[in-house]
Amino acid sequence: MIEIREATTKKEQKNFLNFPLEMYKNNPCFVPPLYSSEKKIFGKSYSYYDTCEAVYYNAYRDGVMAGRISGILQHTSNKIRNQKRVRFTRFDCIDDVDTARALFGAVEKWALSKGMDTICGPLGFSDLEREGLLIEGFDELSTFEEQYNAEYYGRLIEECGYNKEVDWIESKIYPPKDTESLDKMKDYIMKRYSLRFGEAKNINEFIKKYKNDFFRLLDEGYADIYGSVPFTESMKKEIISNFKLVCDTEHVAVILDKDNRAVCMGFCIPSISRAVQKSKGHLTPCAIVKILKSVRRPEIIDLGLIAVDKEYLNRGISIIFCAEIARMLKKPYTKYAETNLNLEDNHSIRNMWKRFEQIEHKKRRSYVKYIGENVNA
């Protein structure tokens, strides 16, 4: 017997959070989110609830927890794109299609009750949340920013009537063979357009000086990117809080024009994947020590976001960031960088990595299903 329960009690919410941690506890590729951050989704004041509604379901098979799923109604995204969509996210399930159908059926019924006609995902509240179902690269270490899943998930989702909407490609990149030419091109572009790097003594000063420019550039540059939404003030605070612990001035950059206006910004994140695995995402004293060590001397660098002012899109700004990434990869303790998700048709970004030695090693997918008005709940 399969029972679907909305996670409304403290116990059910704890089961929801802990299910993937137990399911993948012996999997060397699974990387949990920070438990304290993930727990916030059940708080009424959670920053994303200014623009979203969400529901959380647990599945029990013969009384034993067998899966979970969340549905998100992203009002801002729907308004911008003139859509009636609910996103599914945080889907984890045993290899059982009946359990999967019961979970998706619950989300579809909820979506219909809200007047929606389409389900898509996995997508989070914003583009900076974990998104995409892993469909290739199951033996690769997940980045801290993305979710790991078993290979059979795709089959379960497709058997529930979902089809591909978009794919993302992920790559490992290694230092380019010719860094000298890259540096020369960087210097030429910066001189030609009278550009310079913004400075900050530490990450707190960097955030204070450039956070508004960062989100302005993100909102402008990512407006047409799949799944993205403008950032509210509460969302900005949440994002800064989540990434402040793992960012430093060595791995962020802002480019200013002659009038001291930010025209480009990017950040990378020292990988903390190994640091949080054993603690299951809990910030234990041991985990904090490992995180701080990873930030100071990262073996892997996770690439974050690059946002460019539209005026500078075709002026070779990407070369500057390629040169900066190459500089980071010169560190003797750094092995490679992870690109994280690049949309398969985003050729401008994917072509950047051709300047490096690269291996495309993972692929993720977002699915879609039109539910109309006929869903068997």
Side-chain angles (χ1 to χ4, degrees), residues 200 202-213 240:
N202 52 53
I203 196 64
N204 289 324
E205 182 179 323
F206 187 93
I207 292 171
K208 184 177 180 180
K209 289 174 70 174
Y210 302 118
K211 66 178 181 180
N212 291 333
D213 288 315
I240 289 171

Side-chain angles (χ1 to χ4, degrees), residues 304-318:
L305 297 170
I306 298 174
V308 182
D309 189 290
K310 291 182 179 179
E311 183 182 346
Y312 286 82
L313 279 176
N314 298 313
R315 298 187 181 184
I317 294 291
S318 63

